[in-house]
Amino acid sequence: MLKVAIVGCGKIADSHAAQINRIQGVELVGVCDREELMAKQLHDRFSVKGYFSDLTELIHEAHPDVVHITTPPQSHFEIAKQCLLQGCHVYVEKPFTLDAIEAEKLIQLAEQKALKITVGHDDQFRHAARRMRSLVAGGYLGGSPLHMESYYGYEFGELGYASGLLRDEQHWVRRLPGKLLHNVISHGIARIAEFFTTATPLVISHGFVSPLLRRMGERQLVDEVRVIVSEEERVTAYFTFSSQMRPALHQFRVYGPKNGLVLDQDNETLIKLRGGRYPSYMEQFVPPLNFARQYAGNFLENLRLFLACDFHPKAGMKFLIESFYQSIVKSGPVPIPYREILLTSRIMDTIFEQIDRRALDGSEELDSMPSFTKSPH
Amino acid sequence: MKGTILPEKMIICPEDLILVTGAAGFIGSKLVEILLERGFRNLRCFARPSSNSAKLKSIVQRCGGAARVEIITGNLLSREDCIAAAKDVTLVYHLAAGRGQKMYADAYMNSVVTTRNLIEGCLHHHSLRRFVSISSFSVYSNTGKPGGRLLDESCPVEQHPELRGDAYAFAKVKQDELVAHYRKKFGVPAVIVRPGYVYGPGNEGITGRVGIGTFGIFLHLGGSNRIPLTFVDNCAEAIVLAGLKQGVDGEIFNVVDDDLPSSREFLRLYKRHVRRFPSVYLPHMLSYLLCYLWEKYSQWSEGQLPPVYSRKEWHTAWKPTRYTNEKLKSLLGWMPRVSSREGLCRFFESCKQKGRHA
């Protein structure tokens, strides 16, 4: 029986507890939060052995094999470090750490201690994303990816959250190095990082405060970002983050020398893009039918998964957690390679650095339209 | 019409400092207005930094006169902010809550943790004479009794709110437990007020007790049930009295208006005065069956559908039930300021205006 604990009992901890409880051979032995009431409420609602307000007590009394860290990102590094030093495997919610330096230190420590660590990029383990991975691995693209496009839309949604963030200068999201971007974009960046091989691709980013937020008096919170990532002029990617674009896409497109694929996370669909062309007018008649057939196939697959009770909103999280536990129990490879975690952190660091540099230079305000700034590393 | 209390029957004087949390909110701003109307001259209004306090400021400007009204912003999750807010306070109206939040952790944090911090802030200063905590009708279980029974303050509270699928109800049950704990252990002079559905200009939604909108069709679930409505002015008046009246420490008060409309009447009037939309009536037996099936499927599928509908939820929201405000009238001398007829007219007018500007 694998013993698991959760540190940080905010809203994402609910999803972790729910998915952990769905996995066979796992016991949730403790939950911990500096605010004891929060730990108690999670304990009361889920099948958990004990609750704690101190991390050391949790580790010494509950003896977890794995600790899930679901605290705000500012504390990820210290808590993960302490857990690793105490001999626990660690699952860290996204974003992994505040920067790539912290990410490297944690991964080094995990390797030194022969322990495992992963990050909560669970979107990459949803059904359609897994089908995409299988097709790429099976050679559908006709070789390595040449170009990718990752769209990550964001809706401020409930006015409460938006106004909370916009009016509260002390909001914890504002204190992150990349502010709003830091808390949101890692899912979209990680999709690109998965298919890059170099450790330091060229990153060119352009970020600004949207006209909507500017009208609300906001000058610091960048909510529109466009990024180009390039690896030795061989593999390239575009990343788009937008709070204003509709539909608020969560889409990933990958193109190889022969074919391409379009993954739509919101619709849970995967569409194959055929590289070859049909003769004459056939090009205008056959592909639409082919797309219709593929969408129907996606519909039926989603329906099948729903009827099989495997279509939960957090199906990706369950798969990732289960895969991580399997890697621990069977001493197998971790579900997310460390190279990918580090590259995601480095790309994010570079994006924030480029946006910050423009703000610090003072030559260009964030709400103006700056020219691109290049950063090779 | 408004309830009256003779000055000698009040626990505080007009000069004593009153703290109102959630003061910029829907009920809070009306409560501040009533306190100022009643001549209280020393108010501290606490609002979140993210609150829009324009309405509150305009009320203070209009009704404040020579009163000292301090509007402070802060976070009730901060113990320091709570200690500062509670300094020299004799009466607390604690209205701030995690209203409308669907996530358990958020609802709990913004109802229970904040209440704990505020009570401890008050205990730090030793000046408190009354702590009025705002709860909700959603805390009552309403199970195990036949339909049509009277729901009053003696009815049992939900024992397993975590199974209800309603984060707000869970948080409010736990908030009430916390207040009771502090009352018992530390002698905090607390009163709990449980309003029904508070409606009025500023809260233009249709309560789920009438029905739910889904896939373009409104499912009418209330039928002939009386809807436990309270107009915002009436609710604020009840809360004010619960804070002022002598000899009610430890009491719980339900707040509903007189002459409650049935769900069917409410929906008919809404359609006539605000806008028309298609609706289908689901008889109680059928809505109960659907809730049962949803609950069982949610359990069986390990949450593929969230457990938002269940038999517990049906008993709370759609079981035929009668309501009373007798305790409110007899112990606090409360009388509705606005009749249900007038309240509904104002509400529908506000909905119509909002619809035009949407």
Side-chain angles (χ1 to χ4, degrees), chain A residues 58-306:
Chain A
L58 166 79
I59 293 173
H60 289 159
E61 290 183 26
H63 305 291
D65 300 306
V66 186
V67 176
H68 288 234
I69 299 172
T70 55
T71 56
Q74 287 90 340
S75 56
H76 284 181
F77 176 73
E78 280 304 328
I79 295 172
K81 184 177 155 190
Q82 201 176 331
C83 293
L84 289 168
L85 288 171
Q86 299 289 330
C88 304
H89 304 278
V90 177
Y91 179 123
V92 188
E93 244 313 320
K94 61 89 194 167
F96 189 57
T97 51
L98 290 186
D99 57 37
I101 296 171
E102 286 186 353
E104 279 167 29
K105 284 180 183 169
L106 282 186
I107 287 170
Q108 274 174 11
L109 183 59
E111 286 177 331
Q112 278 169 16
K113 294 277 179 186
L115 294 165
K116 298 205 162 147
I117 191 164
T118 198
V119 59
H121 292 157
D122 49 281
D123 283 352
Q124 285 174 272
F125 296 88
R126 292 162 67 118
H127 292 288
R130 276 148 47 198
R131 294 203 296 273
M132 181 195 75
R133 192 166 295 118
S134 298
L135 282 172
V136 173
Y140 178 76
L141 299 179
S144 301
L146 295 176
H147 181 65
M148 291 163 270
E149 292 170 36
S150 177
Y151 293 89
Y152 207 84
Y154 184 77
E155 291 179 84
F156 280 108
E158 287 175 27
L159 191 62
Y161 178 76
S163 61
L165 182 57
L166 295 172
R167 289 186 191 149
D168 186 358
E169 291 295 325
Q170 301 302 314
H171 200 288
W172 66 269
V173 168
R174 285 182 181 274
R175 296 201 296 269
L176 291 170
K179 299 187 176 64
L180 175 67
L181 304 176
H182 208 135
N183 196 39
V184 181
I185 66 171
S186 60
H187 281 302
I189 297 290
R191 288 199 192 284
I192 292 171
E194 180 176 350
F195 295 106
F196 272 89
T197 52
T198 181
T200 54
L202 175 74
V203 176
I204 305 168
S205 55
H206 169 49
F208 57 96
V209 182
S210 68
L212 178 78
L213 292 199
R214 271 185 274 152
R215 281 198 298 276
M216 295 167 82
E218 179 62 49
R219 289 290 179 272
Q220 298 298 317
L221 216 60
V222 173
D223 62 332
E224 292 290 326
V225 175
R226 315 288 182 260
V227 181
I228 298 173
V229 188
S230 173
E231 179 176 290
E232 295 160 2
E233 299 184 347
R234 190 170 49 80
V235 186
T236 55
Y238 298 157
F239 172 70
T240 301
F241 173 79
S242 173
S243 75
Q244 306 301 305
M245 202 171 83
R246 292 293 177 272
L249 295 175
H250 299 92
Q251 214 176 69
F252 181 68
R253 293 165 173 257
V254 56
Y255 307 91
K258 195 173 163 195
N259 296 312
L261 291 164
V262 181
L263 168 70
D264 190 317
Q265 182 186 301
D266 299 316
N267 303 151
E268 201 66 38
T269 56
L270 180 70
I271 298 297
K272 293 176 183 170
L273 302 175
R274 186 174 168 274
R277 287 183 169 273
Y278 291 96
S280 186
Y281 283 112
M282 297 293 276
E283 182 64 14
Q284 278 77 51
F285 292 112
V286 177
L289 286 175
N290 183 27
F291 283 129
R293 185 184 57 77
Q294 288 196 61
Y295 277 110
N298 275 281
F299 165 78
L300 291 172
E301 177 63 5
N302 290 350
L303 185 64
R304 184 189 72 74
L305 289 165
F306 187 88

Side-chain angles (χ1 to χ4, degrees), chain B residues 48-167:
Chain B
R48 291 189 179 110
S50 56
S51 300
N52 183 354
S53 52
K55 187 179 171 192
L56 178 63
K57 283 174 182 163
S58 109
I59 287 169
V60 171
Q61 209 165 26
R62 184 161 41 87
C63 312
R68 286 188 301 277
V69 183
E70 187 188 0
I71 300 177
I72 58 171
T73 56
N75 187 350
L76 293 176
L77 291 171
S78 153
R79 287 173 185 256
E80 292 73 26
D81 284 5
C82 288
I83 289 171
K87 188 168 186 292
D88 301 328
V89 163
T90 55
L91 170 57
V92 175
Y93 289 108
H94 179 40
L95 280 83
R99 185 170 168 268
Q101 284 165 335
K102 292 179 183 168
M103 304 297 290
Y104 277 83
D106 281 350
Y108 186 90
M109 190 165 65
N110 290 308
S111 292
V112 184
V113 179
T114 51
T115 302
R116 191 276 317 273
N117 289 353
L118 190 59
I119 293 177
E120 292 199 343
C122 294
L123 291 174
H124 186 85
H125 295 296
H126 309 289
S127 54
L128 185 71
R129 281 182 232 157
R130 174 82 43 88
F131 187 94
V132 182
S133 177
I134 308 307
S135 179
S136 162
F137 262 32
S138 65
V139 302
Y140 291 113
S141 78
N142 209 22
T143 50
K145 292 274 177 72
R149 68 123 170 198
L150 186 71
L151 187 140
D152 64 12
E153 291 83 351
S154 66
C155 288
V157 164
E158 185 61 73
Q159 292 300 300
H160 292 287
E162 69 279 6
L163 302 178
R164 176 88 75 77
D166 179 348

